[in-house]
Amino acid sequence: MKSRAVKFAFALLLPCLISLFCYQYHFFIDRAVIGQAETVGASSKDLSSITWQEWLNDSHVTPSYKWRELLEKSHTDPSLTAKEIVEALSKRAKFSLIDHAYLYVILHNLSLSLDDDWITAEMIQIPDAVTQADWMDVSLEAELALYTWHSGQQRMGYILLEDTLKKAEQKNYMFLTPRLLNWLGRMALSENELIQAQKYLLRSIYLSKNYDALLSQSRSYYNLYKMYTYMGQWAEALPHIQQARKLHQQLPEPDANTQQLYWYNESVLYGYLHDIDQAKRAYQQANQYYQFGAKTQRYYLLDLRGSANIALLERDFLTARNLIEQCLILSQGEEFLYNRGRCYYKLASLEVAQENYSAALIAIDKSLTSFQQGSNPHSLLKALKFKATIFELSSDFVSAYSLAKEVYRTENSQLRDKLQDLTHAQESLDLTLQRDKLNKQYQENRQALSRQSMYLTCAKWLGLLAILVVIGMYIRTYLVKRENLLLEHNSSIDQLTGIHNRHYYYQQLNKTDLVDRRVSYHLALFDLDHFKSINDSYGHLVGDEVLKQFALLVQPWINERELFVRWGGEEFLWLIKADEASLARIEQVREVIARTSFVTHKGKLVVTTSIGVSCAATPAELLAHESIFLEADANLYQAKRDGRNQVIWS
């Protein structure tokens, strides 16, 4: 018995001794490599003597401004940025110091949003010459301030970035300041601090010229344009948007989507200045860049709004109304709240131009709702002022005066909120700095642990007992994979109804594991009639009960190799095989729902549904042509306009 215990203890202790040996072995190897690197570095130019301009000219992978665009996207779209970085890493052999510097900062930003081991592993491989550069800490502090601002703590991000700018100026890191000043100008605009915003942006432009930073110059001029539009000074805004566009055009590979945005805003300004010919010319340029760009839904909406602007200027009201209706249909998602608000604002302008003041009030109220949901205070105030103008045009002077007072109260409320933020700013700043210190320590510990785990791999060469370490790592990998599979499964399930969600639908169209790539399908888009009234009258719990029962009612009708998913809110999508019985099956489902009493804790409810059906298409065609879904969506809205509780198909 005693002999077994000794053997068991020895079996446990031996892998530890082997690991310790490997650690010491690699420690001496690391010291030798570092010593060799230091010798090589001593024979070349010292890092501290390298000017920033030399760094900029030493990029081998991609132009510096392209790195800058990735740097900005690492805050707004970390997942997409991560994919582009993985692609860039395939060219690692060509990386220069400046490439490694940008890569290190971008990886730092990604680590704040994504918990991926490869990010930490790549950060470890960045040369010490970059990570230990004297200006790197200030650069990372600036990125942390931007991360705070993008995370919704805008006032705190503003304060942190102002503090970082002071450090950069004190230590004479002037090459960092154009971008910091540009961002501070943008943040000041969001705080309605227009004079301060102007100071920051003009300084950014001046320093950008010294460092030949075209991208920063272009963006600073664009922010100055926005500042003048906030004040309603259209003539002053025009040269700034033109300068932003021209500077961006000078880049070796100007981004088509950015050019579309700049030309569109120039067209809008000409409209405010009543220069219809120039407005049309600018819109035509914007449309040309739209054809060259990514053609995402966001930029398609921008193109629609530009077309509607021109139609309104030419008083082609029928065309304008058709374009605005398309804009409203396409901007229904939560991510397009601002676009929806702008479309309703244009609809209100159209109704005013035709002296339909009651319809204009309905449209401007919907615009206000969208701006409120999207937390866009500047646009909200602009819409409120336009509503007061509509009251005045319709001779309802009492309502116009009352609304003017509401605008005044809203502006005061925003000012009070800012003062309250300032009152608590110091406490929040202390907490943020403490959190950042702990986060930095955590990252250092995590990197140290990752480095030590690499040493354990040598243990597999030192005998049979070392396999225990490998088995342990294998088990851990298996558990992580299993957890990842579970997370992937959960990400495809709607938590309320228990059926699959929109993510799963696109996943299956890509994989075609469940659906049949050889078969054509219809898209049947369901929308529960008057669902908002159910929520308003009985509460959201009753609404949730209705959604659950609706999903249970439809599921038995779903055949093999078909999909039924919750699309969002009260909308569901059925990917149904296109055959002779498909439309009859959809109609039967609609009848069953209309005949069924939905049992809730507030009593029984009668619920109906409107359904829009697309033409038949294969899974590949559904992925390639968004117009097929838009066709089902348009038919759905036609069903609702025709009285609801019906099926409309092409």
Side-chain angles (χ1 to χ4, degrees):
M1 190 73 178
K2 185 176 180 180
S3 175
R4 285 186 180 179
V6 171
K7 289 180 180 179
F8 181 74
F10 179 75
L12 290 177
L13 183 60
L14 188 57
C16 298
L17 294 173
I18 293 170
S19 300
L20 180 61
F21 171 80
C22 292
Y23 177 83
Q24 294 297 330
Y25 172 74
H26 279 276
F27 175 81
F28 288 117
I29 290 177
D30 283 354
R31 289 296 91 201
V33 171
I34 291 171
Q36 183 181 7
E38 289 173 349
T39 303
V40 172
S43 64
S44 61
K45 185 180 291 186
D46 182 65
L47 179 67
S48 61
S49 68
I50 299 176
T51 66
W52 182 250
Q53 198 65 36
E54 288 177 288
W55 281 63
L56 290 179
N57 293 333
D58 197 28
S59 179
H60 296 167
V61 177
T62 188
S64 184
Y65 75 92
K66 289 287 188 181
W67 278 119
R68 286 282 302 280
E69 289 176 346
L70 276 176
L71 192 57
E72 305 298 352
K73 284 201 298 184
S74 65
H75 290 294
T76 58
D77 196 343
S79 297
L80 181 60
T81 306
K83 291 181 181 178
E84 295 188 41
I85 288 297
V86 169
E87 182 179 350
L89 287 173
S90 64
K91 307 171 185 177
R92 177 182 296 282
K94 301 179 182 178
F95 272 33
S96 64
L97 279 179
I98 185 61
D99 294 322
H100 278 300
Y102 276 118
L103 176 63
Y104 184 66
V105 177
I106 292 170
L107 289 172
H108 165 268
N109 293 346
L110 294 179
S111 71
L112 297 173
S113 303
L114 306 175
D115 188 19
D116 289 339
D117 290 338
W118 72 267
I119 296 174
T120 304
E122 292 296 339
M123 290 180 74
I124 292 172
Q125 298 183 46
I126 301 295
D128 290 344
V130 171
T131 61
Q132 296 175 12
D134 54 358
W135 46 265
M136 183 57 74
D137 285 343
V138 175
S139 181
L140 295 183
E141 283 184 28
E143 298 307 316
L144 188 60
L146 290 175
Y147 172 75
T148 303
W149 192 81
H150 282 291
S151 299
Q153 302 177 59
Q154 295 190 338
R155 188 66 197 178
M156 180 52 54
Y158 187 14
I159 294 170
L160 287 171
L161 196 60
E162 284 184 319
D163 184 61
T164 304
L165 176 65
K166 291 177 184 177
K167 291 181 182 178
E169 291 174 334
Q170 288 169 359
K171 297 185 177 183
N172 202 30
Y173 301 150
M174 300 308 293
F175 57 87
L176 294 174
T177 55
R179 178 167 175 262
L180 303 189
L181 287 165
N182 178 53
W183 265 106
L184 282 168
R186 178 176 172 181
M187 292 175 178
L189 278 179
S190 71
E191 296 289 325
N192 261 344
E193 297 175 3
L194 301 185
I195 295 176
Q196 189 64 31
Q198 185 183 46
K199 290 180 180 178
Y200 283 136
L201 294 171
L202 290 176
R203 284 184 63 202
S204 175
I205 290 170
Y206 172 76
L207 292 171
S208 296
K209 291 177 181 177
N210 291 346
Y211 291 97
D212 196 25
L214 285 175
L215 190 62
S216 286
Q217 285 186 67
S218 174
R219 288 180 174 169
S220 294
Y221 274 111
Y222 178 67
N223 284 325
L224 278 173
Y225 143 77
K226 289 202 293 186
M227 183 193 74
Y228 283 111
T229 59
Y230 285 0
M231 298 186 290
Q233 298 179 1
W234 318 121
E236 290 79 2
L238 183 59
H240 290 91
I241 190 64
Q242 289 174 333
Q243 186 66 4
R245 170 176 54 77
K246 291 174 183 176
L247 287 167
H248 188 269
Q249 184 65 37
Q250 292 175 30
L251 294 172
E253 297 178 22
D255 178 61
N257 290 334
T258 302
Q259 287 294 104
Q260 179 197 353
L261 176 66
Y262 287 174
W263 277 112
Y264 164 79
N265 284 302
E266 189 172 330
S267 174
V268 171
L269 282 179
Y270 278 122
Y272 283 129
L273 295 170
H274 308 292
D275 190 339
I276 298 178
D277 290 338
Q278 290 287 8
K280 288 172 64 176
R281 184 186 68 84
Y283 165 69
Q284 288 167 0
Q285 291 290 335
N287 180 258
Q288 182 179 355
Y289 277 104
Y290 167 68
Q291 301 302 326
F292 294 141
K295 289 190 178 182
T296 62
Q297 189 163 337
R298 187 176 302 279
Y299 289 99
Y300 179 41
L301 286 168
L302 191 66
D303 187 63
L304 279 177
R305 284 163 50 196
S307 303
N309 283 338
I310 300 303
L312 283 171
L313 289 172
E314 294 181 328
R315 300 187 68 79
D316 183 356
F317 298 138
L318 180 60
T319 300
R321 189 176 296 277
N322 289 334
L323 290 167
I324 292 169
E325 285 180 357
Q326 290 182 55
C327 184
L328 290 170
I329 290 172
L330 291 173
S331 59
Q332 293 303 312
E334 289 296 321
E335 68 273 26
F336 298 117
L337 284 171
Y338 174 76
N339 276 287
R340 191 190 315 164
R342 296 300 305 164
C343 294
Y344 275 121
Y345 191 97
K346 292 188 189 303
L347 181 59
S349 301
L350 171 64
E351 301 294 1
V352 167
Q354 296 183 290
E355 299 183 1
N356 300 327
Y357 299 123
S358 58
L361 288 171
I362 294 172
I364 201 64
D365 281 338
K366 292 180 178 179
S367 176
L368 285 165
T369 300
S370 296
F371 290 142
Q372 285 171 337
Q373 293 173 346
S375 301
N376 197 307
H378 173 74
S379 298
L380 184 65
L381 282 174
K382 184 179 177 182
L384 283 171
K385 291 175 182 177
F386 187 37
K387 185 177 180 181
T389 301
I390 298 171
F391 278 130
E392 185 178 355
L393 290 171
S394 62
S395 301
D396 188 352
F397 301 112
V398 174
S399 298
Y401 174 71
S402 175
L403 188 56
K405 290 197 297 183
E406 183 182 342
V407 172
Y408 173 76
R409 285 194 299 268
T410 301
E411 289 177 322
N412 276 350
S413 173
Q414 290 180 4
L415 181 59
R416 283 196 303 271
D417 289 343
K418 273 198 246 180
L419 290 174
Q420 187 176 7
D421 288 342
L422 286 171
T423 302
H424 298 289
Q426 188 58 50
E427 295 177 11
S428 300
L429 179 60
D430 292 339
L431 289 173
T432 301
L433 293 175
Q434 184 180 5
R435 182 200 65 187
D436 296 343
K437 183 178 179 181
L438 292 172
N439 185 59
K440 184 177 181 180
Q441 184 179 355
Y442 165 74
Q443 291 293 342
E444 290 174 353
N445 291 341
R446 187 175 178 183
Q447 290 179 19
L449 287 172
S450 297
R451 187 184 295 273
Q452 290 176 17
S453 67
M454 293 169 61
Y455 300 152
L456 295 179
T457 57
C458 74
K460 65 182 180 181
W461 307 108
L462 300 178
L464 183 60
L465 292 176
I467 296 176
L468 293 172
V469 177
V470 178
I471 292 174
M473 294 172 67
Y474 176 81
I475 292 173
R476 180 180 178 277
T477 303
Y478 168 77
L479 293 174
V480 169
K481 285 183 178 178
R482 190 175 68 173
E483 184 178 357
N484 287 342
L485 288 173
L486 181 61
L487 289 172
E488 183 179 357
H489 172 75
N490 290 338
S491 70
S492 302
I493 297 296
D494 176 52
Q495 298 302 312
L496 176 65
T497 61
I499 65 175
H500 289 111
N501 56 21
R502 186 189 305 196
H503 169 73
Y504 183 78
Y505 164 79
Y506 283 115
Q507 188 182 60
Q508 289 304 315
L509 285 187
N510 272 307
K511 292 182 177 179
T512 62
D513 292 336
L514 184 89
V515 299
D516 192 336
R517 68 172 67 240
R518 299 164 300 179
V519 172
S520 293
Y521 290 86
H522 292 294
L523 291 180
L525 193 59
F526 292 69
D527 187 283
L528 273 64
D529 297 331
H530 304 296
F531 186 74
K532 185 177 184 300
S533 300
I534 294 174
N535 280 335
D536 293 342
S537 302
Y538 302 99
H540 288 278
L541 288 178
V542 170
D544 289 348
E545 292 175 1
V546 169
L547 291 173
K548 292 177 186 177
Q549 292 182 48
F550 180 86
L552 288 173
L553 271 175
V554 178
Q555 276 184 289
W557 294 84
I558 311 303
N559 288 345
E560 186 180 2
R561 300 184 80 80
E562 292 182 351
L563 287 177
F564 181 64
V565 300
R566 185 181 179 192
W567 197 250
E570 66 271 22
E571 288 190 346
F572 295 77
L573 185 139
W574 183 3
L575 186 68
I576 180 173
K577 289 181 182 177
D579 55 33
E580 296 177 355
S582 55
L583 295 178
R585 288 170 60 202
I586 296 170
E587 181 63 34
Q588 287 174 335
V589 169
R590 183 199 61 78
E591 292 176 359
V592 167
I593 292 167
R595 293 197 307 265
T596 302
S597 294
F598 285 68
V599 180
T600 72
H601 71 278
K602 292 288 184 72
K604 295 183 178 180
L605 297 177
V606 175
V607 178
T608 61
T609 181
S610 299
I611 307 171
V613 185
S614 74
C615 63
T618 64
E621 291 170 338
L622 290 172
L623 273 176
H625 304 294
E626 191 180 12
S627 59
I628 300 173
F629 172 82
L630 296 178
E631 178 187 341
D633 195 43
N635 286 338
L636 169 63
Y637 279 90
Q638 185 63 44
K640 297 179 80 68
R641 283 194 292 268
D642 289 350
R644 296 181 171 83
N645 191 23
Q646 57 185 288
V647 181
I648 297 291
W649 59 80
S650 301

